[in-house]
Amino acid sequence: MTTTAPIPPITGTVTIAVPIDQAFRVFTGSINSWWPHEFHIGGADVAEVVLQVGVGGRWFERGVDGTECDWGRIRVWEPPHRLVFTWQINGSWQFDPDPARASGIDVRFTANGSAETTVEVEHRYFERLEGGQAIHDTIRGGGGWSLLLDGFAKSVVDQS
């Protein structure tokens, strides 16, 4: 059941020595290179994590067996400064097709000159999810967005 009590957001920040366009491109276009494949909801091992370009684009996993499991949708697409997408995975670790029961992930890219970018993530609205507190606690306990952004930063360096 969803709750009306606010659940605090989970945040993460990383600063990387690349231009803002490159940071946005790697975050969105190469999510498969930095998203840990052990974090999935499908029955099969993950072959690929995909974040489709533009508002309405899907965020999903494709299994090694070819099956696809949706995770959410792109809500805001403002390259290279901002990206907002839904997390439609409930406390039972299943996709919930109702976007009214989704949490949101807001990613902001800020240029610190021509060759450095700060990426800030705020994952919020866990109270909208069925089992939102459990999802929040699992993400936070597993390192949260700081862990994911560390992987992202390594991927950016590898692709430079």
Side-chain angles (χ1 to χ4, degrees):
M1 167 183 264
T2 56
T3 179
T4 56
I7 299 172
I10 297 173
T11 61
T13 302
V14 67
T15 299
I16 47 180
V18 298
I20 191 171
D21 290 334
Q22 183 177 352
F24 189 90
R25 185 176 62 253
V26 171
F27 192 98
T28 59
S30 297
I31 193 168
N32 187 59
S33 70
W34 59 267
W35 186 271
H37 284 193
E38 63 270 21
F39 297 169
H40 68 95
I41 62 171
D45 288 340
V46 173
E48 181 179 29
V49 177
V50 179
L51 187 67
Q52 294 178 330
V53 172
V55 173
R58 293 171 58 212
W59 180 37
F60 65 97
E61 68 183 72
R62 182 174 292 121
V64 294
D65 62 357
T67 59
E68 294 182 354
C69 293
D70 283 346
W71 295 355
R73 297 283 184 277
I74 306 297
R75 293 291 190 215
V76 176
W77 183 264
E78 299 172 354
H81 300 286
R82 188 170 179 226
L83 166 71
V84 178
F85 50 106
T86 61
W87 170 283
Q88 292 176 237
I89 301 171
N90 64 28
S92 299
W93 296 97
Q94 306 225 342
F95 177 73
D96 184 335
D98 185 352
R101 293 192 303 254
S103 62
I105 300 166
D106 191 341
V107 187
R108 296 181 185 262
F109 300 79
T110 304
N112 306 322
S114 62
E116 184 179 89
T117 304
T118 298
V119 181
E120 298 173 281
V121 176
E122 182 178 69
H123 190 163
R124 59 187 179 217
Y125 307 129
F126 288 95
E127 61 275 3
R128 293 178 181 170
L129 296 170
E130 293 284 335
Q133 187 67 58
I135 290 286
H136 175 274
D137 294 349
T138 299
I139 293 171
R140 192 183 63 200
W145 278 95
S146 294
L147 172 74
L148 295 170
L149 288 173
D150 285 347
F152 163 68
K154 289 176 187 158
S155 184
V156 169
V157 169
D158 290 346
Q159 294 184 38
S160 294

